[in-house]
Each structure stands twice: as structure tokens, then as C-alpha cells.
Amino acid sequence: MVYEGRAPRVPAHLKASGREVWRAVWQAGAGAYSPETDRNVILRYAELHDRRADLLDLIHAEGLSVVGSTGQPAIHPAMRFVESTERELRAIENAIGFTPEARMRLGIVAAEARRVAASPADF
């Protein structure tokens, strides 16, 4: 099903990174995403981009290395959260077709659906 309406308004709580991502996803989707069914996934994706940007800003301000509990150099503890946020982002990117592999997989699914719709008597 192709959604032909306008993209939803950018949620007010999104920060700069999230707002940019929100607009880019709805524009790139060009009717592939429905506000009724896909809004929450795309919102989560935009919010995760905001979280990632905040974490990277913190790391940039404080430095990638910090002093560990015994005085040794250590990676900034926020890097753990950057990594987990990026894992969540990758999962959503795969779900919404934002990787070449996901687009190929979704394209194959879409082609199969078109084939079935064109000749349902065969199934």
C-alpha cells in the first residue's frame, strides 16, 4: 500500500539531529511509510539520533579518554551507550529499508506481492 498523504509534522520535542532525520526519512520514503503504522518506528529512529548526538557531544567535550578508577586511561563510559544506540539504529535501518541489503530484501518482497496481486489464481 502506498501512502499518498503529507508527511507528519516534526514532533516538537525532537532536537536538531532528530528533526533532520525525521524529515529525511519521510522524504526518502516517498509514500512508502504510513503515519498510522510507521510513525512510532520513525519517531524512535529520530529520537535515537538525538540521543547519539547528545552522547557524542558529551564525549567530544570531555574527551574520548577518561581516568579510570585506578588512575589508568579508559574509554569514556558514554561510549557504551553510543554503541548500544548505534545497534538500535542499525536494527531500525534494516526494518525500514535504509541499507542496501534491506532495500534488496524489501524489493524482493514487494516484487513478490505485486506478482501475487497480478495473478492471485495461481496461489
Side-chain angles (χ1 to χ4, degrees):
M1 175 183 276
V2 174
Y3 174 73
E4 296 180 358
R6 294 178 52 172
R9 182 173 299 223
V10 177
H13 72 280
L14 291 176
K15 298 176 185 175
S17 182
R19 295 173 77 78
E20 182 180 326
V21 165
W22 177 269
R23 289 183 185 112
V25 169
W26 287 103
Q27 181 179 4
Y33 307 123
S34 167
E36 290 81 28
T37 59
D38 304 320
R39 178 184 185 86
N40 289 334
V41 172
I42 295 169
L43 178 59
R44 177 81 172 135
Y45 187 65
E47 289 169 341
L48 286 167
H49 272 279
D50 276 342
R51 180 195 304 169
R52 181 180 181 274
D54 288 346
L55 289 165
L56 291 175
D57 286 347
L58 175 68
I59 293 166
H60 180 73
E62 296 180 0
L64 183 58
S65 303
V66 296
V67 177
S69 60
T70 61
Q72 82 286 6
I75 297 296
H76 196 292
M79 279 303 296
R80 274 193 359 232
F81 299 111
V82 170
E83 292 167 358
S84 65
T85 299
E86 289 177 345
R87 275 193 300 277
E88 291 180 64
L89 286 167
R90 282 190 297 275
I92 294 173
E93 288 164 356
N94 281 316
I96 63 177
F98 269 38
T99 67
E101 180 183 355
R103 281 192 301 277
M104 184 178 75
R105 180 177 30 81
L106 293 171
I108 291 169
V109 170
E112 181 67 16
R114 282 193 299 273
R115 187 177 69 75
V116 170
S119 59
D122 294 339
F123 295 91

